[in-house]
């Protein structure tokens, strides 16, 4: 998603990416070597064409058709796209997804950054803590965790009882249209390990002499964080924001499992992909579902573009600081 | 029609993998998968159904009997819960590779007949491989569409009213055949006032109940190709429903959601619920009270609008072994021993051979059998409402939008408009 460019910018001259770009280097190679190269790549190329490019092209075509899986697709132009905007459930799914992204992503990144800051300091058992905090991300995407979550947040289950014990009201989250989405937010926040590891790597990159110089000048911990850590970390932060936002838009598994495959109650967990799935595979409206998929791609591309545009204002690369 | 809410982990995993599996492996297994003939004349047929583990155990025992009688026919099985089953089936059917024989319900007959997926079993009946004799109360007609026999019933069921007998008794209410809706709602109000519990769990969003009400008034939920009622009808039905929720006569919809997967009736948050009679075993299993079956309220003091519906066995039009499939269905619906094994798991046994062979020992099963006999004796059973292609989608839209309306998240007028718009799309697919 263009992040590779950002990373190249970071790398000092003389590292691998820079050398690959050297003019003439590729051209001088013999044709036989090229062929061998493509042969080695062929499993990937075949996979890309058959499993990614092909289906994408097909779905682009279906997006402009009325297609029920059984009869031949019928070209209807932009009808699917206009129907989207007239569909209250589509609007609801956009609303639910936006809410999930806007609330879940910042919370997750804040937690990841906070824990990364704590773990960046050397202390005994450091490796254990890192592994322990990272573990949820490893198992988080699985269906079984969805089931555990459903069990935790049901009426009369652990969360409910703890809540009543603390006098915070009662009733499960899973059955309450007003709260069930927050159980999904909690699930994604709990999986903060992946961005945390990236933050940790970023923190290691910050030159120690900057802190030492600041300390000599009498800067306190807060000041050092705002003036050194955050600016030096901003490329990594940007990378994490981008990645997590894109991931969040694609939420499916947890919503599908926690809602017991209904994306309810009262459409409260009707995230975008869940509705797409219902339209395509339950209601046999593949054309409509394809149009939805392309709208999602457009939306994600738009958000990505906005983020890239905004990075001029808040992302500092090393050369700017020096 | 046989949706038993609970979903097991295994089946969800399967459901999640269905699209991938069907697209990826379908190409590889498509040819050999749909029943293959080995060199010695042994034939394999694929049989799929939805239901819980209990049903699977019973069916597997029945299949053992079948394979003993027909050693040259092997049956390969596959089962899931209701929702996952139909998702997988649709993908298989679209890929031209549905199971040779499968469980079916009336809501899906026209949908898959339209796409040429269902085998017309008439020819097999004429050839003597499958008997259409000895079905109780003409229930074999449930499987007939436009002169074709697309499904063979395995058991019958009918819509019923389940009541918490203790609460009804304490409130001094005795439901009787032919009681009216006014009497029913007056009873609910009395229960609410005297017993401090809501009367019903939310009748207004159940498509099959609204169908009965419409039939009592000379209409029906569906015609052969569309809806059988108009926006004014539904506006009245839902406005009344909404007002009754507000008045506390009907359980708070939030409470109903919280109680899931239990029914609010067995959770003690309501005194009655409309559902299929063969589902009623669950209440005794879930709740502490005693539960009984009561007559459906009427408009004119006589007609309940009820009919016998049924789970069926259907065959794929793509099957390479129609004769073997027909013999299998015949065995499954007529063999007395199979009847004893299956019991009322899929409704009251459809053929007299099986019905006579099975003597229920538990109280709920006895009550269900008694209920269907009473309904038949009251002379209120009519012919089943036709279900156009897309009826399944319409049913889930009715349930969902009715729920939104009752929660107050959607105004009644908007909900009605939305339902008609979604139904139009669904019935046109």
């Amino acid at each position: 998603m263009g992040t590779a460019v950002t990373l190249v910018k970071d790398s000092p001259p003389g590292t691998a990416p820079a050398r690959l770009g050297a003019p003439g280097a590729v051209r001088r190679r013999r044709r036989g070597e090229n062929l061998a190269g493509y042969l080695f790549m062929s499993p990937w190329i075949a996979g890309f064409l058959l499993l990614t490019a092909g289906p994408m092209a097909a779905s682009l075509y279906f997006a402009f058709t009325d297609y029920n899986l059984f009869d031949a697709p019928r070209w209807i132009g932009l009808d699917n796209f206009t129907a989207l905007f007239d569909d209250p459930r589509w609007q609801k799914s956009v609303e639910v997804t936006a809410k999930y992204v806007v609330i879940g992503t910042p919370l997750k990144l804040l937690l990841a950054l906070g824990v990364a800051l704590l773990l960046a300091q050397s202390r005994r058992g450091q490796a254990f803590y890192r592994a322990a905090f990272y573990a949820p991300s490893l198992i988080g995407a699985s269906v079984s965790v969805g089931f555990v979550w459903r069990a935790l947040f049901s009426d009369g289950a652990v969360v409910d009882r703890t809540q009543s014990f603390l006098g915070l009201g009662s009733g499960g989250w899973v059955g309450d249209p007003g709260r069930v989405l927050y159980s999904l937010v909690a699930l994604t926040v709990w999986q903060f390990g992946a961005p945390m590891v990236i933050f940790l790597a970023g923190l290691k990159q910050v030159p120690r002499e900057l802190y030492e110089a600041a300390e000599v000048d009498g800067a306190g911990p807060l000041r050092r964080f705002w003036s050194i850590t955050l600016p030096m970390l901003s490329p990594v932060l940007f990378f994490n924001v981008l990645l997590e936002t894109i991931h969040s838009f694609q939420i499916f598994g947890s919503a599908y499992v926690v809602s017991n495959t209904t994306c309810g109650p009262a459409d409260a967990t009707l995230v975008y992909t869940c509705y797409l799935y219902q339209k395509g595979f339950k209601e046999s409206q593949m054309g409509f579902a394809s149009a939805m998929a392309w709208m999602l791609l457009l939306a994600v591309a738009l958000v990505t573009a906005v983020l890239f545009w905004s990075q001029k204002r808040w992302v500092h690369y090393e050369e700017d600081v020096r | 029609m046989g949706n038993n809410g609970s979903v097991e982990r295994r089946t969800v995993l399967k459901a999640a993998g269905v699209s991938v599996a069907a697209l990826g492996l379908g190409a590889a297994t498509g040819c050999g998968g749909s029943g293959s003939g080995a060199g010695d004349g042994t034939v394999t047929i694929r049989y799929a159904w939805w239901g819980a583990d209990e049903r699977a155990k019973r069916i597997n025992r029945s299949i053992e009997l079948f394979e003993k009688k027909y050693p040259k026919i092997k049956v390969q099985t596959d089962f899931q819960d209701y929702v996952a089953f139909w998702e997988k089936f649709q993908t298989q059917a679209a890929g031209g590779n549905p199971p040779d024989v499968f469980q079916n319900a009336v809501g899906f007959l026209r949908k898959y007949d339209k796409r040429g997926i269902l085998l017309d079993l008439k020819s097999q009946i004429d050839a003597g491989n499958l008997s259409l004799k000895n079905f109780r109360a003409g229930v074999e007609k449930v499987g007939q569409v436009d002169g074709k026999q697309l499904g063979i019933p395995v058991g019958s069921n009918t819509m019923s009213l389940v009541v918490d007998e203790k609460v009804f008794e304490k409130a001094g209410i005795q439901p009787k055949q032919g009681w009216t809706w006014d009497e029913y709602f007056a009873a609910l109000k009395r229960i609410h006032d005297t017993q401090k519990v809501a009367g019903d769990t939310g009748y207004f969003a159940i498509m099959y109940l609204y169908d009965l009400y419409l039939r009592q008034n000379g209409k029906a939920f569906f015609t052969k190709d569309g809806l059988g009622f108009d926006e004014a009808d539904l506006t009245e039905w839902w406005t009344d429903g909404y007002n009754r929720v507000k008045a506390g006569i009907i359980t708070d919809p939030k409470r109903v959601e919280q109680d899931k997967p239990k029914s609010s009736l067995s959770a003690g948050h309501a005194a009655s619920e409309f559902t299929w009679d063969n589902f009623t075993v669950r209440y005794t299993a879930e709740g502490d009270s005693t539960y009984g079956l009561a007559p459906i309220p009427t408009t004119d003091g006589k007609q309940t609008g009820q009919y016998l519906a049924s789970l069926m066995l259907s065959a794929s039009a793509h099957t390479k072994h129609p004769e073997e499939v027909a013999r299998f269905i015949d065995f499954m619906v007529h063999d007395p021993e199979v009847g004893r094994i299956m019991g009322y798991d899929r409704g009251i046994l459809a053929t007299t051979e099986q019905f006579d062979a099975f003597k229920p020992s538990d109280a709920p099963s006895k009550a269900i059998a008694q209920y269907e006999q009473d309904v038949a004796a009251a002379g209120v059973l009519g012919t089943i409402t036709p279900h156009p292609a897309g009826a399944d989608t319409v049913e889930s839209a009715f349930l969902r939008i009715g729920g939104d309306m009752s929660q107050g998240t959607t105004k009644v007028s908007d909900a009605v408009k939305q339902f008609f718009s979604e139904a139009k799309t669904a019935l046109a697919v």
Side-chain angles (χ1 to χ4, degrees):
Chain A
M1 277 272 148
T3 41
V5 181
T6 322
L7 293 177
V8 169
K9 238 186 195 176
D10 269 348
S11 44
T15 52
R19 256 207 312 268
L20 269 183
V26 174
R27 255 179 283 144
R28 275 195 298 276
R29 291 198 182 137
R30 293 210 322 275
R31 266 185 77 200
E33 279 183 15
N34 268 341
L35 193 66
Y38 283 118
L39 266 176
F40 276 117
M41 275 171 70
S42 61
W44 182 86
I45 293 176
F48 174 76
L49 290 178
L50 286 172
L51 299 174
T52 308
M56 273 183 81
S59 106
L60 182 60
Y61 168 63
F62 291 149
F64 296 95
T65 65
D66 181 5
Y67 180 45
N68 64 15
L69 282 170
F70 291 94
D71 307 322
R74 189 170 56 85
W75 186 267
I76 52 169
L78 287 170
D79 284 7
N80 281 329
F81 292 91
T82 49
L84 280 182
F85 289 95
D86 290 337
D87 180 1
R89 289 194 87 202
W90 182 76
Q91 291 162 12
K92 173 84 185 176
S93 75
V94 170
E95 189 190 312
V96 169
T97 312
K99 209 166 155 189
Y100 174 80
V101 172
V102 169
I103 299 172
T105 312
L107 279 180
K108 183 177 187 173
L109 291 177
L110 272 177
L111 190 64
L113 179 58
V115 176
L117 286 171
L118 288 176
L119 292 183
Q121 292 151 22
S122 315
R123 69 182 66 204
R124 233 168 357 144
Q126 190 181 16
F128 168 78
Y129 287 118
R130 285 184 191 173
F133 281 111
Y134 185 67
S137 312
L138 286 176
I139 54 170
S142 70
V143 171
S144 51
V145 172
F147 279 98
V148 171
W149 225 250
R150 184 172 166 78
L152 282 178
F153 285 89
S154 288
D155 202 5
V158 181
V159 174
D160 181 23
R161 285 196 209 165
T162 314
Q163 218 173 274
S164 339
F165 178 74
L166 296 172
L168 295 171
S170 63
W173 294 33
V174 168
D176 184 348
R179 280 192 291 185
V180 62
L181 189 64
Y182 297 104
S183 70
L184 298 184
V185 168
L187 179 54
T188 181
V189 171
W190 180 62
Q191 295 158 13
F192 64 87
M196 180 198 76
V197 166
I198 298 172
F199 277 133
L200 265 173
L203 286 170
K204 295 275 168 205
Q205 297 287 315
V206 183
R208 294 236 44 94
E209 60 264 28
L210 290 180
Y211 290 111
E212 284 156 11
E215 252 172 279
V216 168
D217 290 343
L222 212 59
R223 175 79 202 201
R224 289 203 297 272
F225 175 76
W226 281 114
S227 301
I228 301 172
T229 311
L230 213 50
M232 293 303 285
L233 206 57
S234 58
V236 174
L237 184 61
F238 173 71
F239 176 78
N240 268 339
V241 167
L242 199 63
L243 215 62
E244 290 302 325
T245 308
I246 292 170
H247 271 171
S248 293
F249 271 109
Q250 298 166 356
I251 175 192
F252 176 76
S254 58
Y256 187 74
V257 176
V258 169
S259 71
N260 199 9
T261 76
T262 62
C263 309
D267 285 350
T269 57
L270 189 74
V271 293
Y272 199 87
T273 50
C274 214
Y275 188 42
L276 192 160
Y277 178 77
Q278 286 190 355
K279 275 288 176 189
F281 288 94
K282 288 191 181 168
E283 299 182 18
S284 320
Q285 298 179 42
M286 262 318 157
F288 189 92
S290 300
M292 278 189 72
W294 281 90
M295 285 302 288
L296 178 63
L297 185 75
L298 280 180
V300 172
L302 193 70
V303 170
T304 309
V306 168
L307 279 174
F308 265 97
W309 169 80
S310 79
Q311 69 166 338
K312 276 190 232 119
R313 291 162 191 274
W314 61 278
V315 180
H316 301 273
Y317 293 103
E318 240 176 309
E319 53 264 48
D320 303 335
V321 177
R322 275 180 181 162
Chain B
M1 208 174 289
N3 184 355
N4 36 16
S6 70
V7 174
E8 300 141 30
R9 184 174 69 177
R10 211 156 66 81
T11 51
V12 170
L13 282 165
K14 273 191 193 165
V18 158
S19 46
V20 180
L23 294 174
L25 302 175
T29 58
C31 309
S34 77
S36 52
D40 61 350
T42 303
V43 156
T44 304
I45 57 175
R46 284 158 59 215
Y47 171 33
W49 67 91
W50 69 85
D53 288 339
E54 181 59 30
R55 181 174 295 171
K57 278 184 206 146
R58 292 171 195 251
I59 288 179
N60 285 334
R61 277 166 59 202
S62 309
I63 288 174
E64 274 170 32
L65 288 182
F66 175 76
E67 289 181 338
K68 220 172 267 169
K69 189 172 172 194
Y70 296 93
K72 295 274 179 201
I73 308 177
K74 292 272 165 274
V75 183
Q76 212 179 73
T77 61
D78 183 22
F79 75 98
Q80 271 139 326
D81 73 276
Y82 179 79
V83 173
F85 173 87
W86 286 111
E87 283 170 12
K88 180 171 180 179
F89 183 85
Q90 169 165 291
T91 316
Q92 288 178 323
N97 188 35
D100 296 293
V101 54
F102 53 93
Q103 189 168 303
N104 205 350
V106 68
F108 298 87
L109 288 180
R110 276 194 166 78
K111 175 176 181 171
Y112 286 112
D113 179 41
K114 202 170 137 186
R115 274 92 199 228
I117 304 296
L118 302 179
L119 181 67
D120 182 0
L121 291 160
K122 269 247 156 70
S123 56
Q124 291 300 325
I125 293 164
D126 295 343
N129 298 326
L130 169 58
S131 160
L132 209 55
K133 294 198 178 80
N134 298 335
F135 280 87
R136 292 188 307 109
V139 71
E140 74 275 10
K141 291 192 191 72
V142 175
Q144 293 168 357
V145 163
D146 303 333
K148 289 180 271 193
Q149 188 78 40
L150 301 176
I152 307 294
V154 290
S156 66
N157 54 5
T158 185
M159 278 302 278
S160 64
L161 173 63
V162 186
V163 300
D164 184 327
E165 285 179 335
K166 286 182 184 165
V167 176
F168 265 66
E169 200 176 308
K170 272 188 227 153
I173 295 153
Q174 184 57 53
K176 54 182 187 299
Q177 191 73 40
W179 66 336
T180 64
W181 288 101
D182 289 342
E183 286 169 322
Y184 173 64
F185 286 117
L188 297 192
K189 187 168 186 319
R190 188 144 126 219
I191 286 169
H192 174 251
D193 292 346
T194 63
Q195 306 301 310
K196 305 295 171 217
V197 62
D200 170 84
T201 58
Y203 69 93
F204 44 79
I206 303 169
M207 179 184 95
Y208 285 103
L209 179 70
Y210 189 41
D211 184 34
L212 296 189
Y213 177 80
L214 289 167
R215 287 164 64 102
Q216 292 170 7
N217 290 281
K219 298 182 179 182
F221 199 95
F222 292 116
T223 63
K224 267 164 106 174
D225 48 14
L227 295 175
F229 58 100
D230 58 26
E231 297 195 16
D233 293 324
L234 186 57
T235 305
E236 188 190 343
W237 181 252
W238 275 355
T239 306
D240 289 347
Y242 181 72
N243 290 338
R244 285 173 186 133
V245 171
K246 286 288 127 205
I249 300 171
I250 310 293
T251 318
D252 180 357
K254 277 210 180 63
R255 178 44 69 193
V256 175
E257 281 297 337
Q258 302 276 17
D259 286 337
K260 281 178 188 170
K262 263 193 187 182
S263 156
S264 285
L265 172 58
S266 32
H269 297 129
S272 69
E273 177 161 84
F274 291 96
T275 190
W276 296 99
D277 57 359
N278 61 322
F279 287 5
T280 56
V281 180
R282 72 178 279 199
Y283 300 99
T284 315
E286 283 175 7
D288 308 326
S289 193
T290 50
Y291 307 93
L293 291 161
I296 296 282
T298 67
T299 302
D300 63 359
K302 170 95 180 87
Q303 292 306 325
T304 60
Q306 277 164 295
Y307 49 81
L308 287 187
S310 166
L311 289 184
M312 292 171 266
L313 291 180
S314 287
S316 158
H318 296 288
T319 183
K320 294 194 183 77
H321 312 292
E323 190 191 321
E324 285 79 1
V325 162
R327 289 195 189 285
F328 176 69
I329 296 176
D330 187 70
F331 184 82
M332 293 300 270
V333 298
H334 289 294
D335 186 81
E337 190 54 37
V338 170
R340 273 193 286 271
I341 293 172
M342 292 308 300
Y344 292 163
D345 181 71
R346 295 173 299 186
I348 307 298
L349 293 158
T351 57
T352 48
E353 295 101 315
Q354 294 194 340
F355 182 79
D356 294 339
F358 176 69
K359 295 276 170 270
S361 53
D362 59 315
S365 291
K366 279 186 197 157
I368 298 165
Q370 187 61 46
Y371 186 74
E372 285 196 21
Q373 275 170 13
D374 291 348
V375 171
V380 293
L381 285 178
T383 314
I384 190 165
T385 302
H387 288 62
D392 54 324
T393 309
V394 173
E395 185 192 0
S396 50
F398 193 76
L399 183 65
R400 170 171 45 76
I401 299 170
D404 290 354
M405 177 279 298
S406 69
Q407 299 240 13
T409 49
T410 311
K411 273 196 299 183
V412 172
S413 55
D414 292 340
V416 171
K417 274 202 201 83
Q418 194 188 336
F419 171 76
F420 272 81
S421 141
E422 284 192 28
K424 197 177 146 207
T425 315
L427 296 172
V429 163

